[in-house]
Amino acid sequence: MDLALAHVSHRYNGVEVLRDISFAAPAGRIVCLVGPSGCGKSTLLRFLGGLERPDEGQVTMTGEPPAGSLNPLTYIFQDFALLPWRSARGNISLALEDHRLSRREREEIIADVLARTGLSDFADALPRQLSGGMKQRVAIARALAVRPACLLMDEPLSALDSQTRELLLDDLQGLWERERFGAVYVTHNLAEAVRLGHQVVVLSRRPGQVREIVEIDMPLSERKARAAELEAHQTRLWELMREEAMAADQEIADV
Amino acid sequence: MSDAALPGAAPRTEPAPGARPVPFRGGGFRPTPRRWVGPLVFAALFAAWEAGSRMGWISPIVLPAPSEALEAFSNLARSGQLALHLQASLSRLVQGWIFGTLLGIAVGFAAGLFSLARAGIVPLVAAFFPIPKIALLPLFIIWFGIGEESKVATILFGTFFPTVIAVYGGVDGVDRGLVRMGQSFGLSRWSIVRKIILPGAMPAILSGFRISASIAIILLVAAEMIGAEYGIGAYVLLAGNLMATDQLVAGVAMLSILGLTVSWLIGRLEKRVLRWR
């Protein structure tokens, strides 16, 4: 299933935040969305999953989601969005409870995603007992449980320390190798963008416009070993963004 | 070559001559539990009171000795009147509080979830909440008669408004990120209310219970002071009219114990329901 944005513009209280954005997120590929803070990256992501409606333009999906997909467009949030009163298992179960599944099917799915994210021993832990990295793994497991066609990730690693971030990057890469899901990955961290993105969409500062779409033509599995080549991509992205980021930094927030 | 091998940089374990400890400036501002202090204060107070009465410093008409109040209490228990008073009071309290709370939760949720309901309910609550419900008691007596109904209605009315405020405040306080998460997983509206908003509002609802329960006890006594045969309030009122201060103190002590019991029960409920915190 492919996702696409066509000529999307949006205003918040009269302030133009996004102007004429068009790009596609094809099935099975990771599209990273980078840009200075306040450029509307997260807003775009909410449009993509239907949590918010743009003033102008269209958000479309083409093709059928893979068979058995319970929630084709699934989010992973920066703040994890776990229910603090439910265990890891309960949080995953929440995403399944509104679907017609037998108790056994549900338990099988939960056991499977817990195993795939390395959480089997933490199934009954409450969020407050888990580290940030573990919480985000629970959120990833919850997302995998509904078999998404496209994962919409809103700075999923930004609330984590840099070591944990490195570990989770490896996890995400490994998961993608196996599942080949499509994804839109919003980040302000260029290292993450070049590690995971097949395509990096660079947005300008507010009002956000597509500055450039950079293709990174290197298999994900080789990226860790070919860090030097990635470095070149990252430098190029930084050059694209540098001025925008500086200008954005000096703006006075009025929204 | 590591730094440690440099001459003069040998690891030093002894403090240099003239070294003095850094003065400690932290600590404090963190009260720690002292289990024995509370009972000790009570014991000291009662001992002083009893001693004062026995020595004749405190006139028995002004304030009876604790032992006399205890005597009055055991007389009450032996005569079988205690059970009647307690039963009357508890049944009013429980009925009024439960119906007031249920109604308050329903209306509070409506105000928390629906814009139209909120626009209608919030001003109404703002207007009615500050009225001391005791002032409405004569009106309730005219409406519901001098019997149980008017007493239960007063307590119901008194618990309803704080519960509405606590519930809709609690619903407002639920993390919108969690609600959006529920929507993003395609949860039905009912599921979101039941599985995300209700548990998320629970801490606020339970602290609302504490407030409404103490209001209920105040109103219970007030309502029982008008035209009640049995009930702790009636007992206290009668004792006062007869200048039987020993019975009066016994009645007031019962009210204190009732309040403590209710607050303990809510504490237990909080521990159980809010285990995740």
Side-chain angles (χ1 to χ4, degrees), chain A residues 20-69:
Chain A
D20 195 28
I21 306 258
S22 302
F23 67 86
R29 280 163 66 88
I30 300 179
V31 177
C32 288
L33 215 51
V34 298
S37 57
C39 74
K41 307 183 288 279
S42 300
T43 308
L44 267 183
L45 203 68
R46 288 201 288 275
F47 292 156
L48 280 167
L51 285 182
E52 223 173 295
R53 261 194 292 246
D55 289 343
E56 286 165 49
Q58 279 185 319
V59 186
T60 51
M61 44 188 191
T62 39
E64 290 302 309
S69 176

Side-chain angles (χ1 to χ4, degrees), chain B residues 107-122:
Chain B
V107 173
F109 259 95
L113 294 175
F114 307 107
S115 316
L116 192 66
R118 164 170 307 209
I121 290 164
V122 172

Side-chain angles (χ1 to χ4, degrees), chain B residues 33 64 66 115 117 123 126 157 203 217 227 236-237 239 243 266:
Chain B
S115 316
F157 213 63
I217 293 175
V236 170
L237 186 73
M243 299 285 258
I266 293 172

Side-chain angles (χ1 to χ4, degrees), chain B residues 15-21:
Chain B
R20 52 197 191 286

Side-chain angles (χ1 to χ4, degrees), chain B residues 22-240:
Chain B
V22 171
F24 177 65
R25 300 181 284 181
F29 298 105
R30 188 185 285 175
T32 48
R34 295 268 191 276
R35 286 187 153 274
W36 42 269
V37 175
L40 209 69
V41 169
F42 268 97
L45 187 68
F46 279 109
W49 179 3
E50 183 72 42
S53 297
R54 299 221 171 165
M55 307 285 216
W57 296 333
I58 304 173
S59 150
I61 296 171
V62 176
L63 196 62
S67 56
E68 286 172 44
L70 201 68
E71 179 70 32
F73 180 78
S74 55
N75 282 339
L76 187 70
R78 247 175 297 155
S79 69
Q81 298 271 303
L82 177 67
L84 289 174
H85 287 303
L86 271 183
Q87 202 207 346
S89 284
L90 284 180
S91 112
R92 288 166 194 146
L93 188 69
V94 168
Q95 281 181 51
W97 186 80
I98 285 184
F99 290 125
T101 297
L102 287 179
L103 222 59
I105 288 178
V107 173
F109 259 95
L113 294 175
F114 307 107
S115 316
L116 192 66
R118 164 170 307 209
I121 290 164
V122 172
L124 208 65
V125 170
F128 274 93
F129 182 49
I131 302 176
K133 306 303 172 296
I134 300 167
L136 295 177
L137 186 57
L139 201 59
F140 286 141
I141 292 176
I142 294 171
W143 291 351
F144 302 113
I146 193 84
E148 292 304 296
E149 290 83 355
S150 60
K151 297 175 179 63
V152 171
T154 311
I155 297 169
L156 187 155
F157 213 63
T159 45
F160 172 75
F161 291 103
T163 307
V164 172
I165 291 172
V167 172
Y168 94 70
V171 171
D172 276 359
V174 175
D175 182 359
R176 295 295 121 166
L178 293 179
V179 173
R180 201 172 303 138
M181 179 276 291
Q183 291 173 324
S184 84
F185 279 97
L187 264 59
S188 68
R189 210 182 146 84
W190 171 235
S191 281
I192 290 175
V193 171
R194 206 160 43 98
K195 296 173 185 169
I196 298 176
I197 293 179
L198 177 65
M202 221 50 207
I205 295 176
L206 287 177
S207 54
F209 280 7
R210 274 188 193 281
I211 294 168
S212 68
S214 55
I215 290 178
I217 293 175
I218 293 169
L219 290 176
L220 169 76
V221 176
E224 284 178 344
M225 286 187 167
I226 299 180
E229 192 182 352
Y230 290 110
I232 302 174
Y235 176 73
V236 170
L237 186 73
L238 186 69

Side-chain angles (χ1 to χ4, degrees), chain A residues 27-140:
Chain A
R29 280 163 66 88
I30 300 179
V31 177
C32 288
L33 215 51
V34 298
S37 57
C39 74
K41 307 183 288 279
S42 300
T43 308
L44 267 183
L45 203 68
R46 288 201 288 275
F47 292 156
L48 280 167
L51 285 182
E52 223 173 295
R53 261 194 292 246
D55 289 343
E56 286 165 49
Q58 279 185 319
V59 186
T60 51
M61 44 188 191
T62 39
E64 290 302 309
S69 176
L70 299 173
N71 191 43
L73 303 174
T74 299
Y75 283 89
I76 293 174
F77 299 93
Q78 179 178 358
D79 60 358
F80 324 128
L82 299 175
L83 301 182
W85 48 87
R86 286 198 181 211
S87 64
R89 185 201 306 279
N91 266 290
I92 299 169
S93 167
L94 177 81
L96 300 170
E97 283 163 14
D98 274 20
H99 296 284
R100 289 174 184 281
L101 294 168
S102 69
R103 174 181 279 272
R104 232 197 57 214
E105 282 175 302
R106 203 156 65 208
E107 270 162 18
E108 276 170 9
I109 294 174
I110 294 171
D112 174 50
V113 292
L114 283 172
R116 274 193 285 166
T117 45
L119 287 168
S120 299
D121 293 339
F122 301 89
D124 296 310
L126 287 170
R128 72 173 153 83
Q129 300 170 300
L130 297 170
S131 67
M134 281 304 189
K135 281 186 217 171
Q136 195 56 294
R137 285 192 180 91
V138 175
I140 293 170

